[in-house]
Amino acid sequence: MSGKGGVGKTTLAVFLSTYYARKANNVILADLDVEEPNAGIFLQKTEIHSIDAVVYRPRWKEDLCIFCGKCQEYCKFNAIAALPNYVIVFQELCHSCYACSELCPTKALPMYPAKIGTIGTYHIKDNFVFIEGRLDIGQEIASTLVKQTRDFVVQKAQEAQKALEAHATMIVFDAPPGTACASREAMAKADVVILVTEPTPFGLHDMAMAYKLVKASGKPCAIVINKDTPGYDGIEEFAKSENIPILARIPYSADFAQAYSKGELLNSDDIYHGINIEKSLQAIEAWVSKNTSGGLK
Amino acid sequence: MKIIFSVTENKGKQSIVDARFGRAAGFFLFDEENDSGTWIDNTSNMNAAGGAGVQAAQAVVSSGADVYIGPQLGPKAMSVLSMSKVQLFEGVPGKTVEENIELYKAGKLLKIR
């Protein structure tokens, strides 16, 4: 997680999952940034399958409606306008909570399925799977798909674990930026959280917001500083005052940024565009295994 | 005839017309017959995560207004208001309710379609 966008969540998630896979772990990398999934760009992959992500939303039945207006009062998302002689359901604002449908005294708002996106599964290596949630264009609610993708990934990991018996599966969730519902859903099933940030006041501000969310969950949490350059100590000061370990500092590199902008595959070589990424990944691995008792889930 | 205005604060006919609709501070419902007005608070909508326009449009319809004068409307507010009989006019934000009434009476405000 990061709060701020563009700090390097995806880069680190791709490197970290590739690293774990190279060390013969069973790994699933999950891109939960469903509004703009991009981890797949940096991986050589083959699609296994893609399923539709479906939610249920109400449709108004005029002949059953008694125009009591209760549906509009119940809707916490302002998705319903109840007029004296007409009810409008704004599908794009609906969170599929069922409140209006179940509480309508005349059952005038039955629920119908609607496709909101896709969940794609890709083969990277025999022990490395990539799963991506992708929201359809025009859809406004990302959190539902984040949750569905996350649960799909966890289910796949459990199935794999059962089938393979010996090995646990490592899941790397690449969370969306921000600190709202979608981010909360993204971290809900994680054992540990890594906050990726950049050494700028903006990076600190949004990371501090994300940290508030993580702190409330009680999950172990650590910081990785990406695009590190000297001159700003805000992240260190914050980490010290909150007692959060800083696991790694990945230095800024113009070469790296250029390779990224071209969508170059992120291969976890020891030295990547002049940066010793391996050392950072080792430090992360050590912290993760220390904080996940009884092995990885 | 009743005219409803999207306004920045409650100052009667001296209220300033807001440039925002769904997230305006409130609405001023002016009753031409007895030259008096009512304040409809909208602050609960100001910080809504989404659907502020829908709720504000609903408030305009329930107010019983015949005419709306305020800023342009978003697509969701528009689809609610187009189901009602309220006539929609684009007001001049920054000017007072009183000034907007004069412009309306002089036929200088454009209809929102």
Side-chain angles (χ1 to χ4, degrees), chain A residues 32 142-152 182 184-186:
Chain A
L32 299 183
S143 50
T144 336
L145 182 55
V146 172
K147 186 167 179 270
Q148 283 191 17
T149 310
R150 179 200 76 200
D151 289 344
F152 179 82
R184 203 204 70 86
E185 296 294 359

Side-chain angles (χ1 to χ4, degrees), chain A residues 16-17 19-21 25-30 127-129 153 157 161 167-173 191-192 194 284-285 288-289 292 295-297:
Chain A
L16 190 63
S17 49
Y19 172 82
Y20 273 110
N25 296 283
N26 292 318
V27 180
I28 301 177
L29 169 61
N127 64 335
F128 188 6
V129 170
V153 168
Q161 209 152 319
H167 279 68
T169 301
M170 172 78 182
I171 304 174
V172 178
F173 292 114
D191 295 313
V192 296
I194 295 173
I284 294 167
E285 183 191 26
V288 169
S289 46
T292 44
L296 303 166
K297 271 192 232 157

Side-chain angles (χ1 to χ4, degrees), chain A residues 7-293:
Chain A
V7 295
K9 283 181 301 299
T10 300
T11 308
L12 188 68
V14 171
F15 272 128
L16 190 63
S17 49
T18 309
Y19 172 82
Y20 273 110
R22 198 148 42 83
K23 298 192 95 188
N25 296 283
N26 292 318
V27 180
I28 301 177
L29 169 61
D31 194 343
L32 299 183
D33 189 3
V34 301
E35 285 174 288
E36 47 254 330
N38 67 340
I41 295 170
F42 307 105
L43 292 159
Q44 196 155 23
K45 59 191 188 300
T46 319
E47 184 172 328
I48 304 170
H49 55 71
S50 172
I51 58 167
D52 287 351
V54 170
V55 295
Y56 282 79
R57 289 169 178 164
R59 265 188 231 155
W60 179 55
K61 298 285 174 200
E62 189 172 2
D63 51 330
L64 296 175
C65 185
I66 51 166
F67 303 98
C68 65
K70 291 220 166 80
C71 49
Q72 187 240 335
E73 281 171 42
Y74 295 140
C75 183
K76 290 280 170 266
F77 306 101
N78 298 335
I80 298 180
L83 301 170
N85 55 356
Y86 206 84
V87 171
I88 305 174
V89 180
F90 291 95
Q91 300 287 325
E92 61 275 36
L93 293 177
C94 176
H95 281 58
S96 306
C97 77
Y98 284 73
C100 63
S101 186
E102 290 182 1
L103 297 171
C104 171
T106 58
K107 307 290 166 232
L109 289 162
M111 302 292 273
Y112 289 90
K115 176 179 176 282
I116 55 163
T118 51
I119 301 173
T121 304
Y122 300 84
H123 174 269
I124 310 285
K125 282 203 276 180
D126 284 346
N127 64 335
F128 188 6
V129 170
F130 171 58
I131 296 175
E132 174 200 84
R134 185 173 284 265
L135 198 65
D136 283 346
I137 289 169
Q139 295 294 330
E140 291 184 22
I141 312 290
S143 50
T144 336
L145 182 55
V146 172
K147 186 167 179 270
Q148 283 191 17
T149 310
R150 179 200 76 200
D151 289 344
F152 179 82
V153 168
V154 171
Q155 189 199 329
K156 287 290 154 201
Q158 283 165 351
E159 283 171 16
Q161 209 152 319
K162 234 181 211 170
L164 300 167
E165 282 174 10
H167 279 68
T169 301
M170 172 78 182
I171 304 174
V172 178
F173 292 114
D174 184 14
T179 46
C181 304
S183 305
R184 203 204 70 86
E185 296 294 359
M187 64 165 232
K189 296 277 169 79
D191 295 313
V192 296
V193 177
I194 295 173
L195 292 168
V196 187
T197 190
E198 59 182 28
T200 63
F202 191 1
L204 171 66
H205 175 270
D206 285 15
M207 183 196 69
M209 282 170 69
Y211 176 65
K212 253 173 122 175
L213 186 64
V214 182
K215 197 178 178 185
S217 76
K219 294 178 196 291
C221 160
I223 293 173
V224 170
I225 302 177
N226 188 31
K227 298 188 276 185
D228 195 22
T229 46
Y232 182 73
D233 301 328
I235 309 287
E236 281 84 351
E237 280 163 23
F238 181 82
K240 209 170 170 190
S241 71
E242 292 289 334
N243 205 16
I244 319 167
I246 296 177
L247 301 180
R249 291 159 203 271
I250 303 169
Y252 173 78
S253 152
D255 276 0
F256 195 136
Q258 230 166 44
Y260 181 93
S261 72
K262 288 178 194 151
E264 193 178 285
L265 298 177
L266 297 178
N267 300 310
S268 186
D269 299 332
D270 290 4
I271 306 291
Y272 185 78
H273 289 283
I275 291 172
N276 188 340
I277 194 85
E278 189 88 3
K279 204 178 71 186
S280 302
L281 298 172
Q282 276 165 2
I284 294 167
E285 183 191 26
W287 178 81
V288 169
S289 46
K290 207 179 85 188
N291 285 281
T292 44
S293 51

